[in-house]
Amino acid sequence: MRRLVAFGALTLVGGLAAASCQLVSGIDGMSVDDTAGGVVAECGPAGTPCGGTCERGKHTPPGVCTDDGRCTAEPVGCGLYDCDPSGTACATSCLPSGAGCIDGAVCHAPSATCTRCGSVPEEAGDCSGNNSFLASGSGERTRCDCNEETCVLTCDADGGCAGSVLLDTLKSPVVLECDDQCNGAVVTCMGPYPCEVVCSSGGCRDLTLRCSQDGRCLLKCNGTGCAGDVNVACGANFCAVACSVPNDSIHRACGSSCSCTEIGCE
């Protein structure tokens, strides 16, 4: 009986040894990728082309496999850009939707370049020739008053700016001041510079503010301003609503905004 037990034990050990040999043989030619937590094929044989790919904003240029199973090419970050659609190189331009930029970056539409969220074009704003179209039935363009580099518009047009208002922020920041006007208005910001709508008590009832995709955007409500049903559609930049008193009439759609805040409105 003891001989049979001993023989059985030897058989079991031998079987395990054989299985272990098969396991080692099966993973021969493979290596553990500690960063991914999995098992990947080695780079090889030596001299085999490798790289030439782009993934998650990192580009690995073309290289060759070395004798020790590594690729001679190292990943390089694309900066503020994501990979291009081919998946082989960094993007060199972007779309107003933000496609082509990494998370936290914004596409500067006029130049199709990626910038950090919250930034404005490097060139100084120039409001000297800026104006904004206020749809009041006349189709006239209303010129703004320059406050340093900011275009300041006062809503005093016929009809109280109750229609569509296009704020041109392509060349400079724009501030639209609404006293008892802008009720029911649809205000659209267009451009990379900051866009701000300031509402006094009695103004901006049932207002809709559509922020630019790549510019900062702010709705400022003083007193009882911004009553009724007020909606703010944010772009991909900083977007904020500020109230002097609590206001539950304001609805924000943050979208892809990198900062979407409410100050004093809660």
Side-chain angles (χ1 to χ4, degrees):
M1 180 65 71
R2 290 180 181 177
R3 292 177 184 174
L4 291 175
V5 171
F7 178 77
L10 289 173
T11 303
L12 178 61
V13 171
L16 288 173
S20 299
C21 290
Q22 291 175 0
L23 180 61
V24 170
S25 176
I27 64 173
D28 187 35
M30 304 190 75
S31 63
V32 176
D33 181 0
D34 293 332
T35 59
V39 178
V40 296
E42 285 186 348
C43 182
T48 302
C50 58
T53 59
C54 188
E55 185 178 4
R56 294 191 295 273
K58 288 188 177 181
H59 171 230
T60 303
V64 293
C65 297
T66 61
D67 291 333
D68 60 356
R70 297 181 178 276
C71 184
T72 57
E74 294 290 337
V76 179
C78 296
L80 297 177
Y81 292 84
D82 203 344
C83 301
D84 67 9
S86 72
T88 60
C90 299
T92 56
S93 62
C94 55
L95 299 175
S97 63
C101 300
I102 62 171
D103 291 341
V106 176
C107 186
H108 175 213
S111 61
T113 56
C114 297
T115 61
R116 293 201 178 278
C117 188
S119 64
V120 295
E122 294 181 0
E123 65 270 17
D126 179 14
C127 73
S128 59
N130 198 5
N131 47 41
S132 175
F133 174 71
L134 304 180
S136 58
S138 64
E140 297 178 356
R141 295 180 68 89
T142 302
R143 188 169 297 278
C144 66
D145 294 326
C146 267
N147 181 3
E148 295 181 352
E149 295 176 351
T150 300
C151 165
V152 180
L153 286 155
T154 302
C155 188
D156 54 6
D158 294 339
C161 304
S164 298
V165 180
L166 179 64
L167 301 182
D168 183 358
T169 61
L170 291 172
K171 296 182 179 179
S172 69
V174 173
V175 175
L176 176 65
E177 296 180 342
C178 301
D179 292 328
D180 294 330
Q181 300 94 4
C182 303
N183 292 323
V186 178
V187 179
T188 302
C189 304
M190 182 184 68
Y193 282 97
C195 185
E196 181 177 340
V197 178
V198 181
C199 308
S200 298
S201 294
C204 303
R205 176 182 292 274
D206 300 324
L207 174 82
T208 296
L209 174 59
R210 296 173 179 170
C211 299
S212 169
Q213 177 64 27
D214 53 348
R216 290 172 176 257
C217 194
L218 171 64
L219 174 64
K220 185 181 293 185
C221 304
N222 296 318
T224 56
C226 305
D229 184 20
V230 175
N231 293 276
V232 179
C234 297
N237 212 310
F238 291 147
C239 182
V241 175
C243 305
S244 60
V245 295
N247 188 335
D248 59 1
S249 300
I250 302 172
H251 310 285
R252 286 172 302 137
C254 292
S256 58
S257 176
C258 60
S259 176
C260 189
T261 59
E262 204 170 83
I263 306 167
C265 303
E266 299 88 349

